[in-house]
Amino acid sequence: IYLRIHANGSEDSGVHGALALVPSAENAYVGALAGDSQRLGQCVLSAYCAATGFSDRGIQFNDTMTGMNWSKIPVIILEMGFMTNQNDDTKMNDSQFQQTMVEGIANGIDAYFASV
């Protein structure tokens, strides 16, 4: 699997939570990976949100990311929270909370491989 982690941003500081970006089945480059990528995204996002308490903003399809479009294996981008939201940003910057974030991601990866 290929898992990219990012911190999101918004002009609206009230926007918060985590989401996963995955390629769609219509993606000209990695459309064949869409199903596995979506399953990976759902597993990681669900476990991450359960561990962190961040709201689950769902799976979003994106076919414009070169970092995903050249992948040969299931791929996602996990947007871990909004650095433009004070609550998300404060938590993401806390070293103890970062351990919780990592555990949530690892649990999601384990769940994905258990489902394959």
Side-chain angles (χ1 to χ4, degrees):
I1 63 169
Y2 178 30
L3 171 70
R4 294 174 54 176
I5 56 173
H6 290 195
N8 215 339
S10 173
E11 291 185 16
D12 180 353
S13 64
V15 176
H16 64 284
L19 61 94
L21 298 172
V22 302
S24 76
E26 291 77 32
N27 186 300
Y29 306 102
V30 294
L33 299 173
D36 288 337
S37 296
Q38 186 173 358
R39 189 169 57 255
L40 173 62
Q42 192 59 60
C43 287
V44 171
L45 182 61
S46 293
Y48 177 81
C49 290
T52 61
F54 280 5
S55 61
D56 184 334
R57 299 183 61 82
I59 300 291
Q60 295 183 12
F61 296 104
N62 189 305
D63 294 332
T64 65
M65 301 284 191
T66 58
M68 290 195 302
N69 287 343
W70 298 107
S71 186
K72 303 287 186 201
I73 54 179
V75 56
I76 70 165
I77 297 174
L78 176 65
E79 295 285 0
M80 300 180 298
F82 282 78
M83 59 188 162
T84 50
N85 176 277
Q86 184 175 2
N87 184 59
D88 284 7
D89 191 48
T90 299
K91 286 181 175 181
M92 289 188 295
N93 280 303
D94 179 86
S95 60
Q96 287 183 317
F97 192 76
Q98 289 169 359
Q99 182 63 39
T100 300
M101 294 165 64
V102 169
E103 289 170 5
I105 293 168
N107 290 342
I109 291 169
D110 287 345
Y112 171 77
F113 281 114
S115 75
V116 186

